[in-house]
Amino acid sequence: MSSTILLQSIGFGITTAAVVAIGAMGFTLQLGVTNLLNLSFGNVMTIGAFASLIAEHWHLGLAATIIAAPLAGALVTFVLARTLFALFARRQGGAFDLLMVTLATGLIIQYTIDALAHLQVFQFSFPSGSTLNIGPFVFTVLSLSLVGVAALVLAALLAVLHLTRIGKALRALSVDPKLARACGVPMRRMINLTWIISGALAGLAGLVYVTNSLTVDASAGLDFLVLVIAAAILGGAGSPVGAVVAALVVGIASEVVAAVGGSYYSQAAGLGILALVLVLRPASGVWSGPSRDEVTV
Amino acid sequence: MPDQLLRVTGATAGYRGVPVVREVDIAVGASEIALVVGPNGAGKSTFVKAVIGELPLMSGRIEFNGKDVSGWGEERRAAGGIGYVPQTRDVFPTLSVIDNLEVGGFRLSPKECKQAIAQMFERFPALERLRHRKARQLSGGERKMLAIARALMADPKVLILDEPTAGLAPRIAHEVLEDLVVGLAKLGRGILLIEQRVTLASAVASHVTVLVDGRVSYAARGDEFRAVPDVSALFFGSGEAAERSSWSAARGPA
């Protein structure tokens, strides 16, 4: 591989990292607070992308197109959590049972979208803007905007988690829900808030994904989920900064692998990183800190 | 009795329908330290879980400040004024000292919370110096101090301390009981103290309840308990030989 292609793929990787980072921040927040590995997260990304697509198709304007994705993501995630996930959690479902429930939920969403969309791949028109050369990398205005969105999301999430009392309560809850409850922290309200924020981030990640790839189908989010989970686990559950740094690693690795072996292998890069993390650093990521058995849905 | 802040009557609690503690009676008044002791497996932790609301009662009643709180959940009891310091996992290790305190005062208004933090720093000056340090970086004594300060943020009327000296060096354990716990009781709070260090803890107790096999095997005023020549006999005697002093007869449920 020539150095030009390598540098180009790193540039693409930075943009991919922005998409992965937004998803991974939502995923890691959800995993950190609820301790639930939610495999329907990728499908909520797809719903966010389709919501924006519909808003664009109906010519509702740019603001509505942008808002539609996080709004749909938050709404769907909240409803799923309060109905399906809560139902199985009440039946004393353990972490594995709930994992299966989220997997099944994701598949139901995917096939429902497939049925409604007649297996079509949809085009999304978004002006990519002029091309900019920054050092050895080539970016478009649009791809740089996506990196900016990811940076803004990180700043906002850090501000909420570290500067507000609600954010501190969420961090406390992710460390020790029992103690947080004994402190009088309203669990249900905090967990609902987590579903809403993380769902909105899933929807936003879906929009950013479709803005970058300009096409979307029913399996788009699910394909991207591998990279999101790899970044969230590499970065450590509940750590937005870790998720962003890990997203950069995963994003660049997936694009470099795709440049070398073809786009088919970009998912393999995510899976490879995930496997390496689990094998080499078993005490890191979701397994770090005090052990938590309780899934708080 | 209006001076009884917490009154547990005939409490039976356990897991999956199997009772672990049976018919336990305990009362804690203002400025009193009610000590619960017993051998491992006696049901002390189960009893605490029932009192804080983590575990529902199978039968019996818990009154707090004159109200029946038996049906209240854990959050409501905490918000209502029952503070709790667990034996382990008593602070949020990844949060700083000041953030731990802020979470402890979550139910307060921002202004009240700020005032309460200032009061805690006044009461525990060591914590002010460590305000930005992560809780996991504190020593055992500092950590316990933070755990108690965190519980005090909500200004509880009753504070439940589950083995606060566990894992502490004897000198620090003595300081925690003599200074911290006694100091809190003097300020008018009722303390329900669960302890393994019987001699040390009974020295500060207003009254002592011994749990054996999930039942109260002995209950007495602190001075009566301290006069018992062989305390170990209370621990390993049979539940049927339960002994009740004049104090427990007077304070027991009607």
Side-chain angles (χ1 to χ4, degrees):
Chain A
M1 183 170 57
S2 72
S3 61
T4 313
I5 294 175
L6 177 67
L7 289 172
Q8 269 180 3
S9 58
I10 291 174
F12 291 146
I14 292 170
T15 312
T16 303
V19 187
V20 176
I22 294 170
M25 281 187 273
F27 191 87
T28 202
L29 176 71
Q30 203 173 88
L31 179 62
V33 173
T34 67
N35 206 26
L36 174 66
L37 198 70
N38 178 11
L39 295 181
S40 66
F41 190 89
N43 304 95
V44 177
M45 283 175 64
T46 312
I47 288 175
F50 270 94
S52 285
L53 196 71
I54 291 167
E56 193 213 25
H57 183 71
W58 287 348
H59 306 292
L60 297 180
L62 183 65
T65 303
I66 293 171
I67 294 291
L71 203 62
L75 188 69
V76 169
T77 302
F78 179 74
V79 170
L80 284 177
R82 286 277 55 88
T83 53
L84 265 181
F85 303 165
L87 175 72
F88 282 91
R90 268 200 303 276
R91 291 172 162 225
Q92 309 293 316
F96 182 74
D97 298 354
L98 283 164
L99 178 81
M100 290 296 109
V101 170
T102 65
L103 177 64
T105 305
L107 290 172
I108 291 168
I109 292 172
Q110 182 177 338
Y111 290 120
T112 304
I113 295 175
D114 255 340
L116 293 172
H118 304 293
L119 302 172
Q120 282 184 63
V121 176
F122 291 87
Q123 301 291 320
F124 196 77
S125 59
F126 219 93
S128 57
S130 53
T131 306
L132 302 167
N133 290 298
I134 299 176
F137 306 119
V138 182
F139 291 101
T140 62
V141 170
L142 180 63
S143 62
L144 277 184
S145 305
L146 300 185
V147 174
V149 169
L152 275 177
V153 169
L154 174 64
L157 202 55
L158 286 180
V160 167
L161 290 177
H162 290 268
L163 300 178
T164 70
R165 294 171 75 197
I166 286 177
K168 288 170 189 180
L170 284 176
R171 283 164 57 214
L173 212 156
S174 75
V175 177
D176 195 333
K178 281 185 182 171
L179 186 59
R181 206 181 286 134
C183 289
V185 171
M187 297 282 283
R188 175 59 64 85
R189 227 189 311 157
M190 292 294 122
I191 288 167
N192 283 347
L193 187 66
T194 302
W195 290 121
I196 289 169
I197 295 173
S198 61
L201 289 175
L204 183 63
L207 169 63
V208 172
Y209 170 81
V210 81
T211 311
N212 189 37
S213 67
L214 299 177
T215 60
V216 63
D217 62 11
S219 65
L222 191 61
D223 293 344
F224 222 71
L225 184 66
V226 174
L227 302 182
V228 168
I229 293 180
I233 290 184
L234 179 62
S239 166
V241 175
V244 171
V245 173
L248 208 56
V249 174
V250 170
I252 291 172
S254 70
E255 291 296 338
V256 170
V257 168
V260 174
S263 61
Y264 183 76
Y265 291 101
S266 67
Q267 299 294 318
L271 278 174
I273 289 172
L274 192 55
L276 278 175
V277 171
L278 297 181
V279 171
L280 299 177
R281 296 179 57 203
S284 71
V286 284
W287 293 274
S288 64
S291 63
R292 246 186 86 184
D293 302 325
E294 190 185 1
V295 176
T296 41
V297 173
Chain B
M1 288 179 219
D3 64 331
Q4 285 186 3
L5 293 172
L6 181 72
R7 186 181 172 91
V8 181
T9 312
T12 298
Y15 306 91
R16 295 177 187 270
V18 180
V20 175
V21 288
R22 296 176 182 85
E23 300 289 323
V24 177
D25 302 324
I26 278 181
V28 187
S31 300
E32 283 183 346
I33 299 173
L35 173 65
V36 177
V37 291
N40 284 333
K44 300 188 294 294
S45 296
T46 305
F47 174 66
V48 166
K49 283 179 185 175
V51 175
I52 65 168
E54 189 183 327
L55 206 58
L57 286 183
M58 291 172 174
S59 64
R61 183 181 169 93
I62 298 175
E63 285 172 61
F64 172 64
N65 221 12
K67 284 183 198 157
D68 183 357
V69 299
S70 310
W72 289 16
E74 199 173 352
E75 287 166 31
R76 194 170 171 199
R77 290 189 204 185
I82 300 178
Y84 172 51
V85 179
Q87 179 187 349
T88 54
R89 298 176 75 160
D90 49 358
V91 294
F92 301 104
T94 54
L95 270 62
S96 66
V97 165
I98 196 160
D99 286 353
N100 264 277
L101 293 178
E102 217 169 309
V103 174
F106 187 81
R107 294 270 180 173
L108 305 175
S109 71
K111 192 180 168 190
E112 288 169 338
C113 187
K114 209 172 170 182
Q115 285 170 348
I117 289 173
Q119 282 171 9
M120 289 309 135
F121 285 159
E122 204 174 304
R123 185 174 296 165
F124 307 107
L127 290 183
E128 186 168 20
R129 290 194 300 276
L130 303 164
R131 58 193 295 159
H132 296 301
R133 191 170 291 182
K134 293 269 192 284
R136 65 174 173 226
Q137 297 169 320
L138 302 179
S139 69
E142 289 165 347
R143 185 183 165 116
K144 195 50 74 179
M145 196 189 292
L146 173 61
I148 291 173
R150 192 260 312 140
L152 289 176
M153 281 292 294
D155 195 20
K157 287 188 168 63
V158 168
L159 191 60
I160 299 169
L161 301 171
D162 192 358
E163 303 200 21
T165 67
L168 298 182
R171 184 180 59 81
I172 307 289
H174 189 266
E175 280 175 16
V176 165
L177 288 176
E178 287 285 346
D179 300 340
L180 269 178
V181 177
V182 172
L184 292 172
K186 279 181 182 166
L187 290 171
R189 289 189 171 82
I191 310 286
L192 179 59
L193 176 64
I194 318 298
E195 259 300 342
Q196 286 278 17
R197 289 174 152 146
V198 180
T199 311
L200 198 63
S202 63
V204 300
S206 315
H207 41 92
V208 180
T209 300
V210 179
L211 277 187
V212 176
D213 289 338
R215 293 182 187 275
V216 175
S217 72
Y218 178 89
R221 280 200 316 264
D223 54 352
E224 286 179 331
F225 181 84
R226 288 186 285 274
V228 172
D230 183 10
V231 171
S232 63
L234 299 175
F235 276 53
F236 302 107
S238 77
E240 288 167 10
E243 184 181 338
R244 287 190 173 242
S245 70
S246 55
W247 173 86
S248 63
R251 302 244 322 182

